Amino acid sequence: LSETFLSNLIQELFQTTSIEVSAKTADNEDTTVTIDFKPPFKRLYVKEELEKCLGRPLPDLTCPTAVEELLSLCHSHNIATPTPHTKGRLLDRLIGHFIEPQCVQPTFICDHPIPLSPLAKEHEAKPGYTERFELFVNKVELINAYSELNEPLEQRKRFADQMKDRVGGDADAQILDEDFCEALEYAMPPTAGWGMGIDRFIMLITGAKHIREVILFPTVKPQRTVPTTSAPLTDSPTVTAVTDS
């Protein structure tokens, strides 16, 4: 679905599936690169690709020492690891260092670990990993999709794990949504979610440097009230002006 949608869209817009887009070199210099949206897109599986790049198996993510082992892996490859150190944040650092740089051409990153996907259903064939994919183009995420977890006890447990990370300082960790868990107890049919960053896609095809250039209602400049006269009388009218200050 994602491959067909994007390849057909690019073909409709440009009469070809290959387009030239703005990019950055390893030295952060401006350059261009040709992106080919012709299916099939490359697929990289998180566990297998990380283990290939690391040259060793990933630790058991349910083990109490998982954080220490992931942190050691990051340090051994000179990967910056700002606090707080949680399984999700450290795995994200490893993925960002080893996998995302490979995703210049359209690439699916598949089967994310549970700590990175607390709302996604566990993969039937990969315990500890989920039925999820992200599509990256030019090293930027365009699409995120996953099978929704619809088992209330498991969802509540995942929220509890996320809350521990949040208490430890991870502001991005999920909060406990008891209403959602209760709703799951009434049953939810098999469900999947799919989302695409239209703003990022427009940036890609137009060469925009900042997201403010493409979103419909960008953040406006601060407003301040400017009096209509230098010394207004009581109850005198004022106008609101947008200023650069």
Side-chain angles (χ1 to χ4, degrees):
L1 173 63
S2 301
E3 292 172 319
T4 302
F5 169 69
L6 279 178
S7 62
N8 287 347
L9 179 58
I10 293 295
Q11 178 68 44
E12 182 71 21
L13 291 172
F14 299 100
Q15 287 72 57
T16 178
T17 57
S18 295
I19 61 172
E20 192 172 86
V21 302
S22 301
K24 291 286 187 180
T25 66
D27 298 323
N28 205 36
E29 297 291 334
D30 290 330
T31 186
T32 59
V33 64
T34 299
I35 304 292
D36 188 357
F37 284 88
K38 183 178 180 180
F41 297 168
K42 183 168 67 171
R43 285 159 170 76
L44 297 176
Y45 298 88
V46 171
K47 182 177 187 294
E48 292 80 354
E49 191 62 27
L50 283 181
E51 291 182 342
K52 173 185 172 183
C53 294
L54 292 166
R56 54 154 292 176
L58 285 173
D60 180 353
L61 299 179
T62 63
C63 180
T65 62
V67 170
E68 288 75 12
E69 292 183 63
L70 290 170
L71 189 59
S72 176
L73 287 174
C74 289
H75 288 169
S76 65
H77 290 85
N78 299 317
I79 301 173
T81 55
T83 56
H85 296 145
T86 64
K87 286 181 282 188
R89 289 171 66 91
L90 294 173
L91 285 164
D92 188 57
R93 286 282 168 172
L94 289 168
I95 292 170
H97 181 81
F98 288 112
I99 299 181
E100 292 178 10
Q102 302 182 47
C103 303
V104 177
Q105 298 301 317
T107 302
F108 289 114
I109 299 178
C110 308
D111 304 347
H112 297 64
I114 285 177
L116 281 174
S117 313
L119 301 177
K121 182 175 289 186
E122 186 171 23
H123 199 293
E124 292 183 359
K126 292 182 181 179
Y129 294 79
T130 61
E131 297 178 354
R132 177 188 174 194
F133 72 79
E134 295 175 300
L135 177 66
F136 276 70
V137 180
N138 200 22
K139 306 179 187 179
V140 174
E141 177 195 341
L142 287 187
I143 292 174
N144 180 36
Y146 54 87
S147 300
E148 299 269 2
L149 177 61
N150 58 355
E151 207 289 303
L153 297 180
E154 174 63 19
Q155 185 63 81
R156 189 174 279 107
K157 176 182 178 297
R158 298 222 198 142
F159 277 143
D161 290 339
Q162 289 282 302
M163 284 298 293
K164 292 177 184 177
D165 290 344
R166 194 173 185 88
V167 170
D170 187 354
D172 294 327
Q174 296 279 341
I175 62 173
L176 175 60
D177 189 338
E178 189 58 45
D179 290 339
F180 180 64
C181 291
E182 182 180 353
L184 291 182
E185 292 175 353
Y186 289 97
M188 182 174 78
T191 306
W194 185 97
M196 175 177 172
I198 298 298
D199 43 11
R200 295 183 180 186
F201 177 72
I202 299 301
M203 288 178 66
L204 177 74
I205 63 175
T206 61
K209 299 295 185 182
H210 197 282
I211 196 170
R212 285 196 299 262
E213 300 175 42
V214 300
I215 58 177
L216 191 58
F217 299 105
T219 303
V220 297
K221 295 181 180 180
Q223 293 184 335
R224 65 186 178 96
T225 300
V226 180
T228 53
T229 66
S230 58
L233 299 175
T234 302
D235 298 328
S236 62
T238 61
V239 296
T240 298
V242 177
T243 69
D244 291 331
S245 58

